Amino acid sequence: MQENSGSVEAIILDIKDRKRIGGAYLKSDMICCTPQMSEEKACKLGQVIIQRNPDNPEWPRRITTSFAGRHQETKMDSVEVEIDKTGMYYLYFMFCDPHLKGTIIKGRTVWRNPSGYLPGKMAPLMVVFGLMSLAYLVLGLIWFLKFVQHWKDVIQLHYHITAVIALGMCESALWYFEYSNLNSTGRRPMGITMWAVTFTAVKKTLSRLLLLVVSMGYGVVRPTLGGITSRVLLLGGAYLVASESYELVEHLGNINDFSGKTALFLVLPVTFLDACFILWIFSSLSKTLEQLQMKRNMAKLELYRKFTNSLAVSVLLSIAWIGFELYFNATDPLSELWQVYWIIPTFWAILAYSLLAVICILWAPSRNPTRYAYLEENEDVEEGISLTSGSKATGDSVAKLGEDLEEEKRE
């Protein structure tokens, strides 16, 4: 029996030092030390080749655990490693003994930053969601004051806008508390995370439905959605299920379980349904603008033109940002740019808030609801005014003609 029958090495390194693992500096593609390299005293036989950092000789850090004799299990001692340099750090478990192929490692690692357990790439998001909660609160207070001030002129659409504002406020607050709890305890609270994910999915769904029904002219050009209500609800229900599934796996699933195929399987339905929403929204907007132009309702036409321009700008920004996000993820697979990662989810949060604010401004309750509300008799009134004016002019002409005839008779 040998004293040690195999070793597993836990290697911790800053991702910038990844080229120091393996024989690259020895002009070799080998990861493990070979007998020839050992004879040249370049490394130790049976170990992973590590080139030490001259600025910090202890790094990359190696922690070795060996199997004793013929024992098929061994326990790694609990080790605390202090990291004194900011960076993206990785932990790899590696072995060079071919007899250890199929080794299973069970356990957990605990990582803590000076400010808490929240990973560095996620830490700014706690501040972002805190600020977004305040932003939704301010928007909600302004909307509530307008709502109360003109409550007699409130239409059904205003209740839908109120629901989206409330959901946005709750969503941002829940994510803030979720990140705050994770930062202080190191564990994700299942209950808060579930609620945050659910509120996110519901808010996304209702936001898209709000854009869709506004684009259809609901409450402005038409009093109801009519026969397409079932199709709108079906699309909304499908999006809610797809979005909820994706968010649950992303935030509650294990990193190893969230493979590329699983991610693709869950992202594709969400992307497809988003495309359906965009196409339906713009086709509905086109029809609504055409209707308003034919009826020569200039106030509502101007309102919808502003809304269309805002929506077009947001779609163009979204397409550009998706391109940037794809480029970012493709060029940074190891998260070396972790310090700027937070701007990607922040952009989507700000864009959604901005679109909601635009709708709140354009459809704010006011003393003059006719500029945005549907009035069944509005067009008949306009036509009646035209006929009345014409009749008056005709009456004047008849009166004038009668006077001329009387004068001719006198002559």
Side-chain angles (χ1 to χ4, degrees), residues 108-113 115-119 126 177-190 192-193:
R108 70 188 186 104
T109 60
V110 179
W111 302 73
R112 192 180 191 282
N113 282 309
S115 58
Y117 290 99
L118 204 60
M126 185 171 69
F177 287 119
E178 203 267 350
Y179 284 130
S180 178
N181 189 284
L182 176 59
N183 191 50
S184 58
T185 65
R187 295 180 179 273
R188 302 196 84 152
M190 184 68 71
I192 296 178
T193 306

Side-chain angles (χ1 to χ4, degrees), residues 356-381:
L356 182 59
V358 167
I359 292 176
C360 289
I361 293 169
L362 294 177
W363 276 272
S366 68
R367 292 179 182 177
N368 182 24
T370 55
R371 69 183 181 86
Y372 55 73
Y374 174 80
L375 294 175
E376 190 174 354
E377 298 178 355
N378 187 38
E379 294 157 21
D380 297 338
V381 169

Side-chain angles (χ1 to χ4, degrees), residues 192-204:
I192 296 178
T193 306
M194 281 285 293
W195 278 109
V197 165
T198 302
F199 269 89
T200 297
V202 173
K203 185 234 174 184
K204 280 183 176 181

Side-chain angles (χ1 to χ4, degrees), residues 218-405:
Y218 173 68
V220 180
V221 176
R222 57 167 74 185
T224 63
L225 295 178
I228 60 173
T229 304
S230 57
R231 283 189 286 166
V232 171
L233 292 176
L234 182 63
L235 180 61
Y239 188 87
L240 178 62
V241 172
S243 179
E244 177 86 4
S245 303
Y246 175 72
E247 295 287 342
L248 280 173
V249 174
E250 185 180 19
H251 291 96
L252 296 177
N254 293 327
I255 294 173
N256 291 337
D257 294 340
F258 197 51
S259 62
K261 290 183 179 179
T262 307
L264 188 64
F265 177 76
L266 293 173
V267 167
L268 281 178
V270 178
T271 306
F272 174 75
L273 292 171
D274 268 329
C276 291
F277 266 114
I278 291 172
L279 291 173
W280 201 354
I281 285 170
F282 276 100
S283 64
S284 300
L285 266 177
S286 176
K287 292 177 183 177
T288 303
L289 288 170
E290 188 178 349
Q291 274 184 307
L292 292 172
Q293 201 163 9
M294 287 175 62
K295 294 174 182 178
R296 296 183 180 179
N297 195 326
M298 302 312 295
K300 293 179 182 178
L301 183 61
E302 184 63 23
L303 180 74
Y304 266 86
R305 277 177 177 167
K306 289 178 181 178
F307 174 66
T308 304
N309 292 337
S310 303
L311 196 59
V313 169
S314 68
V315 170
L316 290 175
L317 287 174
S318 299
I319 293 171
W321 195 256
I322 289 171
F324 168 75
E325 192 173 341
L326 291 172
Y327 173 79
F328 183 89
N329 292 328
T331 57
D332 187 41
L334 298 175
S335 300
E336 292 181 81
L337 301 175
W338 59 272
Q339 289 175 310
V340 296
Y341 166 81
W342 63 274
I343 67 172
I344 292 177
T346 301
F347 171 82
W348 296 116
I350 292 174
L351 184 64
Y353 179 84
S354 302
L355 263 179
L356 182 59
V358 167
I359 292 176
C360 289
I361 293 169
L362 294 177
W363 276 272
S366 68
R367 292 179 182 177
N368 182 24
T370 55
R371 69 183 181 86
Y372 55 73
Y374 174 80
L375 294 175
E376 190 174 354
E377 298 178 355
N378 187 38
E379 294 157 21
D380 297 338
V381 169
E382 290 178 0
E383 291 175 5
I385 291 171
S386 300
L387 288 171
T388 304
S389 302
S391 299
K392 187 177 180 182
T394 306
D396 291 343
S397 302
V398 171
K400 187 176 179 181
L401 180 60
E403 290 173 2
D404 292 341
L405 289 171

Side-chain angles (χ1 to χ4, degrees), residues 131-152:
L131 293 175
M132 289 304 300
S133 299
L134 293 175
Y136 274 106
L137 180 62
V138 171
L139 182 63
L141 287 174
I142 295 172
W143 180 260
F144 178 74
L145 291 175
K146 282 279 189 182
F147 198 93
V148 172
Q149 186 179 0
H150 306 288
W151 65 274
K152 290 183 179 179

